[in-house]
Amino acid sequence: MSDPTGILLVDKPGGITSHDVVARARKALDTRKIGHAGTLDPMATGLLVLGVGPATRLLTYIVGLDKTYTATIRLGQTTDSDDADGQIIARAASSALAAVTDERIAAGVAALTGPIAQVPSRVSAIKVDGRRAYALAREGAEVELKPRDVVVSRFDVLADRRGDGCRDLDVVVDCSTGTYIRALARDLGAALGVGGHLVALRRTRIGPFDVADAAPVDALAETPLRTASAAAAAVLPAVRPDAEQAADLRHGKRVSGLADAFTGPRAAAIAPDGTLVGVIERRGTGPAALVKSVMNMPEEHA
């Protein structure tokens, strides 16, 4: 029996790490070769995309896709981690919180929509001098992270609830990879002068993959894997070489007759039998352009 290969969508529950999910998948599928296309914090729930076997090579083309989150931002309280897992370090006066009008919230959200320069949370996994920022922060070190250019294409308030000394906003965010929703909560609260942090987060989409199609962690052994060819065709243009072209691509040769079959820098090459040959790139321009495989799937596992 061949080793499993493919893409697995998992709905991560709260309270466990993404590594815990990977460990459960390894046990359920009886294989060590499993990777993920972007982690979720233990507090967060929602979509994890796992690559199994040789299909882990596809994660490179999935990790950079845009994402959708639903979240709850609590205004009026600031934590040292920008989320509910941290300690509250500041509380806004009731008068300041009462002065936050719907119009001010709308203006603050608008200012954080579109291309923005975002400073990641100090407890993020970004490396500073070879160490994770969160590890330095736990040791009490001063962590200064540089702003990163991200794009928030949608930041909508779905519900607004007033509580005792706080105000909770349920929001939905569409954003580019590398966007920190915790940082959006922090920055919105700071702009409004009352502080803010994240109290709930759920990732509902990564590129074309939706959490509605994901399996719970207790059903991984019974969940069919998405084939490598189906997953690749979902995130890249698909081209269909003939049998000879597919064989040449697998052997590292440059192939003619396919460059006009796709636009953009890369495409998924799918063999006549429906298996994934690999990911190809165009070499050259014009009628003489060729294509070459930049990621091959092993033929016996395709």
Side-chain angles (χ1 to χ4, degrees):
M1 181 177 178
S2 61
D3 293 332
T5 183
I7 296 295
L8 181 62
L9 306 185
V10 184
D11 188 349
K12 186 188 93 67
I16 65 173
T17 68
S18 298
H19 182 73
D20 291 334
V21 174
V22 170
R24 294 189 189 189
R26 286 171 174 164
K27 183 177 181 180
L29 301 179
D30 193 24
T31 181
R32 293 292 303 169
K33 193 169 184 180
I34 297 181
H36 58 73
T39 62
L40 286 171
D41 291 334
M43 181 190 83
T45 69
L47 182 61
L48 283 177
V49 177
L50 304 186
V52 181
T56 55
R57 302 176 189 184
L58 288 175
L59 297 178
T60 298
Y61 306 97
I62 296 174
V63 69
L65 299 175
D66 61 342
K67 300 169 177 66
T68 297
Y69 297 89
T70 56
T72 300
I73 296 171
R74 177 158 295 167
L75 300 176
Q77 300 173 358
T78 302
T79 72
D80 58 3
S81 64
D82 302 328
D83 64 20
D85 285 340
Q87 298 296 315
I88 296 176
I89 56 175
R91 298 178 187 270
S94 57
S95 58
L97 198 57
V100 177
T101 63
D102 293 347
E103 291 75 17
R104 288 184 62 197
I105 290 175
V109 166
L112 292 169
T113 304
I116 62 173
Q118 183 185 72
V119 177
S121 172
R122 61 192 292 271
V123 294
S124 68
I126 294 173
K127 286 190 175 181
V128 179
D129 296 328
R131 298 191 62 197
R132 301 291 184 184
Y134 62 74
L136 294 170
R138 287 171 185 165
E139 295 172 3
E142 290 295 325
V143 179
E144 292 188 12
L145 299 175
K146 296 179 180 179
R148 305 171 70 176
D149 292 332
V150 299
V151 178
V152 178
S153 53
R154 177 172 60 149
F155 189 178
D156 292 340
V157 177
L158 304 178
D160 183 350
R161 301 183 300 279
R162 298 175 188 268
D164 184 14
C166 66
R167 186 170 176 178
D168 286 352
L169 306 178
D170 294 335
V171 303
V172 59
V173 177
D174 292 339
C175 57
S176 62
T177 187
T179 304
Y180 285 88
I181 311 303
R182 282 177 295 167
L184 288 180
R186 175 201 66 202
D187 293 345
L188 179 61
L192 295 171
V194 295
H197 70 282
L198 197 67
V199 295
L201 181 66
R202 181 167 176 78
R203 185 160 64 196
T204 60
R205 182 185 63 86
I206 300 176
F209 304 115
D210 196 282
V211 72
D213 301 317
V217 292
D218 58 359
L220 300 184
E222 299 81 38
T223 303
L225 299 180
R226 295 181 177 226
T227 65
S229 58
V235 300
L236 294 166
V239 300
R240 299 189 177 274
D242 61 29
E244 182 178 354
Q245 291 170 324
D248 286 345
L249 287 169
R250 290 188 190 278
H251 290 93
K253 296 181 181 180
R254 298 190 179 201
V255 172
S256 63
L258 294 175
D260 292 337
F262 64 100
T263 59
R266 301 177 191 88
I270 299 174
D273 64 358
T275 60
L276 180 65
V277 177
V279 176
I280 58 175
E281 285 185 350
R282 189 179 289 103
R283 294 289 192 267
T285 59
L290 305 174
V291 300
K292 179 177 172 56
S293 179
V294 293
M295 188 284 287
N296 269 350
M297 289 290 289
E299 191 167 4
E300 65 273 22
H301 290 294

